[in-house]
mmCIF file of all heavy atoms in Angstrom:
data_model
loop_
_atom_site.group_PDB
_atom_site.id
_atom_site.type_symbol
_atom_site.label_atom_id
_atom_site.label_comp_id
_atom_site.label_asym_id
_atom_site.label_seq_id
_atom_site.Cartn_x
_atom_site.Cartn_y
_atom_site.Cartn_z
ATOM 1 N N PHE A 733 -8.437 33.721 16.483
ATOM 2 C CA PHE A 733 -7.852 34.907 17.160
ATOM 3 C C PHE A 733 -6.842 35.560 16.259
ATOM 4 O O PHE A 733 -6.830 36.813 16.149
ATOM 5 C CB PHE A 733 -7.108 34.443 18.410
ATOM 6 C CG PHE A 733 -7.992 33.923 19.518
ATOM 7 C CD1 PHE A 733 -7.538 33.076 20.484
ATOM 8 C CD2 PHE A 733 -9.343 34.396 19.654
ATOM 9 C CE1 PHE A 733 -8.336 32.593 21.518
ATOM 10 C CE2 PHE A 733 -10.163 33.935 20.700
ATOM 11 C CZ PHE A 733 -9.621 33.041 21.631
ATOM 12 N N TRP A 734 -6.005 34.772 15.580
ATOM 13 C CA TRP A 734 -4.980 35.317 14.673
ATOM 14 C C TRP A 734 -5.673 36.155 13.546
ATOM 15 O O TRP A 734 -5.267 37.249 13.221
ATOM 16 C CB TRP A 734 -4.154 34.200 14.104
ATOM 17 C CG TRP A 734 -3.260 34.624 12.996
ATOM 18 C CD1 TRP A 734 -2.084 35.278 13.058
ATOM 19 C CD2 TRP A 734 -3.481 34.366 11.615
ATOM 20 N NE1 TRP A 734 -1.541 35.459 11.810
ATOM 21 C CE2 TRP A 734 -2.431 34.882 10.876
ATOM 22 C CE3 TRP A 734 -4.547 33.732 10.860
ATOM 23 C CZ2 TRP A 734 -2.318 34.843 9.498
ATOM 24 C CZ3 TRP A 734 -4.459 33.668 9.484
ATOM 25 C CH2 TRP A 734 -3.340 34.244 8.816
ATOM 26 N N ALA A 735 -6.641 35.556 12.898
ATOM 27 C CA ALA A 735 -7.360 36.192 11.849
ATOM 28 C C ALA A 735 -8.083 37.462 12.250
ATOM 29 O O ALA A 735 -8.077 38.448 11.564
ATOM 30 C CB ALA A 735 -8.368 35.256 11.123
ATOM 31 N N LEU A 736 -8.675 37.361 13.438
ATOM 32 C CA LEU A 736 -9.355 38.566 14.011
ATOM 33 C C LEU A 736 -8.353 39.671 14.231
ATOM 34 O O LEU A 736 -8.671 40.864 13.917
ATOM 35 C CB LEU A 736 -10.083 38.219 15.278
ATOM 36 C CG LEU A 736 -10.799 39.302 16.028
ATOM 37 C CD1 LEU A 736 -11.909 39.927 15.134
ATOM 38 C CD2 LEU A 736 -11.383 38.790 17.360
ATOM 39 N N GLY A 737 -7.231 39.319 14.778
ATOM 40 C CA GLY A 737 -6.191 40.385 15.000
ATOM 41 C C GLY A 737 -5.717 41.031 13.742
ATOM 42 O O GLY A 737 -5.552 42.243 13.638
ATOM 43 N N LYS A 738 -5.580 40.219 12.647
ATOM 44 C CA LYS A 738 -5.150 40.772 11.365
ATOM 45 C C LYS A 738 -6.251 41.702 10.797
ATOM 46 O O LYS A 738 -5.955 42.778 10.299
ATOM 47 C CB LYS A 738 -4.890 39.634 10.390
ATOM 48 C CG LYS A 738 -3.670 38.774 10.708
ATOM 49 C CD LYS A 738 -2.409 39.548 10.430
ATOM 50 C CE LYS A 738 -1.199 38.653 10.620
ATOM 51 N NZ LYS A 738 0.084 39.370 10.439
ATOM 52 N N LYS A 739 -7.486 41.258 10.902
ATOM 53 C CA LYS A 739 -8.628 42.050 10.369
ATOM 54 C C LYS A 739 -8.738 43.395 11.088
ATOM 55 O O LYS A 739 -8.893 44.406 10.429
ATOM 56 C CB LYS A 739 -9.887 41.241 10.512
ATOM 57 C CG LYS A 739 -11.177 42.023 10.032
ATOM 58 C CD LYS A 739 -12.387 41.121 10.240
ATOM 59 C CE LYS A 739 -13.628 41.837 9.707
ATOM 60 N NZ LYS A 739 -13.959 43.120 10.429
ATOM 61 N N LEU A 740 -8.677 43.340 12.413
ATOM 62 C CA LEU A 740 -8.865 44.600 13.146
ATOM 63 C C LEU A 740 -7.668 45.552 12.910
ATOM 64 O O LEU A 740 -7.867 46.770 12.788
ATOM 65 C CB LEU A 740 -8.952 44.250 14.669
ATOM 66 C CG LEU A 740 -10.235 43.476 15.052
ATOM 67 C CD1 LEU A 740 -10.158 43.116 16.494
ATOM 68 C CD2 LEU A 740 -11.485 44.272 14.748
ATOM 69 N N SER A 741 -6.488 45.010 12.774
ATOM 70 C CA SER A 741 -5.316 45.800 12.535
ATOM 71 C C SER A 741 -5.399 46.530 11.181
ATOM 72 O O SER A 741 -5.073 47.718 11.077
ATOM 73 C CB SER A 741 -4.043 44.981 12.547
ATOM 74 O OG SER A 741 -3.721 44.526 13.847
ATOM 75 N N ARG A 742 -5.951 45.802 10.179
ATOM 76 C CA ARG A 742 -6.157 46.428 8.850
ATOM 77 C C ARG A 742 -7.133 47.566 8.884
ATOM 78 O O ARG A 742 -7.124 48.532 8.145
ATOM 79 C CB ARG A 742 -6.574 45.427 7.821
ATOM 80 C CG ARG A 742 -5.436 44.492 7.320
ATOM 81 C CD ARG A 742 -5.806 43.801 6.035
ATOM 82 N NE ARG A 742 -6.941 42.958 6.213
ATOM 83 C CZ ARG A 742 -6.848 41.664 6.513
ATOM 84 N NH1 ARG A 742 -5.679 41.129 6.712
ATOM 85 N NH2 ARG A 742 -7.912 40.905 6.650
ATOM 86 N N GLU A 743 -8.065 47.475 9.874
ATOM 87 C CA GLU A 743 -9.078 48.478 10.043
ATOM 88 C C GLU A 743 -8.588 49.591 10.946
ATOM 89 O O GLU A 743 -9.389 50.566 11.297
ATOM 90 C CB GLU A 743 -10.379 47.895 10.583
ATOM 91 C CG GLU A 743 -11.004 46.887 9.605
ATOM 92 C CD GLU A 743 -12.189 46.124 10.226
ATOM 93 O OE1 GLU A 743 -12.495 46.399 11.462
ATOM 94 O OE2 GLU A 743 -12.852 45.376 9.513
ATOM 95 N N GLY A 744 -7.309 49.487 11.409
ATOM 96 C CA GLY A 744 -6.781 50.549 12.268
ATOM 97 C C GLY A 744 -7.157 50.457 13.719
ATOM 98 O O GLY A 744 -7.098 51.464 14.424
ATOM 99 N N ILE A 745 -7.619 49.303 14.148
ATOM 100 C CA ILE A 745 -8.110 49.148 15.519
ATOM 101 C C ILE A 745 -7.032 48.380 16.324
ATOM 102 O O ILE A 745 -6.686 47.226 16.015
ATOM 103 C CB ILE A 745 -9.403 48.343 15.567
ATOM 104 C CG1 ILE A 745 -10.484 49.107 14.772
ATOM 105 C CG2 ILE A 745 -9.865 48.161 17.017
ATOM 106 C CD1 ILE A 745 -11.809 48.334 14.625
ATOM 107 N N ASP A 746 -6.503 48.995 17.383
ATOM 108 C CA ASP A 746 -5.530 48.325 18.218
ATOM 109 C C ASP A 746 -6.255 47.193 18.939
ATOM 110 O O ASP A 746 -7.340 47.369 19.434
ATOM 111 C CB ASP A 746 -4.969 49.255 19.256
ATOM 112 C CG ASP A 746 -4.000 50.282 18.570
ATOM 113 O OD1 ASP A 746 -3.434 49.983 17.543
ATOM 114 O OD2 ASP A 746 -3.861 51.408 19.172
ATOM 115 N N ASN A 747 -5.546 46.052 18.994
ATOM 116 C CA ASN A 747 -6.217 44.917 19.662
ATOM 117 C C ASN A 747 -5.175 43.894 20.138
ATOM 118 O O ASN A 747 -4.064 43.834 19.604
ATOM 119 C CB ASN A 747 -7.207 44.208 18.728
ATOM 120 C CG ASN A 747 -6.498 43.456 17.570
ATOM 121 O OD1 ASN A 747 -6.245 42.292 17.673
ATOM 122 N ND2 ASN A 747 -6.212 44.183 16.493
ATOM 123 N N PRO A 748 -5.482 43.114 21.171
ATOM 124 C CA PRO A 748 -4.536 42.195 21.770
ATOM 125 C C PRO A 748 -4.268 40.920 20.944
ATOM 126 O O PRO A 748 -3.310 40.263 21.209
ATOM 127 C CB PRO A 748 -5.198 41.843 23.112
ATOM 128 C CG PRO A 748 -6.667 41.935 22.852
ATOM 129 C CD PRO A 748 -6.772 43.127 21.923
ATOM 130 N N PHE A 749 -5.134 40.693 19.921
ATOM 131 C CA PHE A 749 -4.959 39.497 19.181
ATOM 132 C C PHE A 749 -3.866 39.492 18.154
ATOM 133 O O PHE A 749 -3.517 38.497 17.531
ATOM 134 C CB PHE A 749 -6.317 39.121 18.466
ATOM 135 C CG PHE A 749 -7.399 38.911 19.473
ATOM 136 C CD1 PHE A 749 -8.412 39.882 19.599
ATOM 137 C CD2 PHE A 749 -7.451 37.813 20.288
ATOM 138 C CE1 PHE A 749 -9.457 39.728 20.536
ATOM 139 C CE2 PHE A 749 -8.468 37.664 21.190
ATOM 140 C CZ PHE A 749 -9.488 38.590 21.301
ATOM 141 N N THR A 750 -3.213 40.698 18.002
ATOM 142 C CA THR A 750 -2.000 40.792 17.192
ATOM 143 C C THR A 750 -0.884 40.027 17.845
ATOM 144 O O THR A 750 0.163 39.793 17.236
ATOM 145 C CB THR A 750 -1.581 42.242 16.953
ATOM 146 O OG1 THR A 750 -1.419 42.859 18.216
ATOM 147 C CG2 THR A 750 -2.619 43.011 16.195
ATOM 148 N N LEU A 751 -0.985 39.674 19.128
ATOM 149 C CA LEU A 751 0.045 38.925 19.834
ATOM 150 C C LEU A 751 -0.070 37.439 19.592
ATOM 151 O O LEU A 751 0.732 36.649 19.989
ATOM 152 C CB LEU A 751 -0.111 39.165 21.345
ATOM 153 C CG LEU A 751 0.127 40.659 21.804
ATOM 154 C CD1 LEU A 751 -0.299 40.784 23.248
ATOM 155 C CD2 LEU A 751 1.525 41.075 21.551
ATOM 156 N N VAL A 752 -1.121 37.044 18.838
ATOM 157 C CA VAL A 752 -1.344 35.592 18.547
ATOM 158 C C VAL A 752 -0.877 35.315 17.160
ATOM 159 O O VAL A 752 -1.162 36.021 16.179
ATOM 160 C CB VAL A 752 -2.851 35.245 18.670
ATOM 161 C CG1 VAL A 752 -3.088 33.756 18.335
ATOM 162 C CG2 VAL A 752 -3.346 35.574 20.052
ATOM 163 N N GLU A 753 -0.103 34.213 17.031
ATOM 164 C CA GLU A 753 0.409 33.760 15.710
ATOM 165 C C GLU A 753 -0.548 32.749 15.155
ATOM 166 O O GLU A 753 -1.378 32.185 15.844
ATOM 167 C CB GLU A 753 1.781 33.096 15.887
ATOM 168 C CG GLU A 753 2.861 34.022 16.415
ATOM 169 C CD GLU A 753 3.307 35.002 15.419
ATOM 170 O OE1 GLU A 753 3.015 34.881 14.188
ATOM 171 O OE2 GLU A 753 3.985 35.986 15.796
ATOM 172 N N GLN A 754 -0.412 32.475 13.844
ATOM 173 C CA GLN A 754 -1.201 31.426 13.232
ATOM 174 C C GLN A 754 -0.708 30.087 13.801
ATOM 175 O O GLN A 754 0.452 29.908 14.187
ATOM 176 C CB GLN A 754 -0.957 31.380 11.725
ATOM 177 C CG GLN A 754 -1.950 30.574 10.922
ATOM 178 C CD GLN A 754 -1.812 30.723 9.444
ATOM 179 O OE1 GLN A 754 -0.813 31.312 8.999
ATOM 180 N NE2 GLN A 754 -2.755 30.242 8.703
#
Side-chain angles (χ1 to χ4, degrees):
F733 291 155
W734 168 79
L736 178 61
K738 292 289 187 182
K739 177 180 183 296
L740 295 175
S741 291
R742 283 198 298 269
E743 295 174 358
I745 302 173
D746 290 334
N747 70 92
F749 299 107
T750 57
L751 298 171
V752 179
E753 299 286 345
Q754 194 173 12

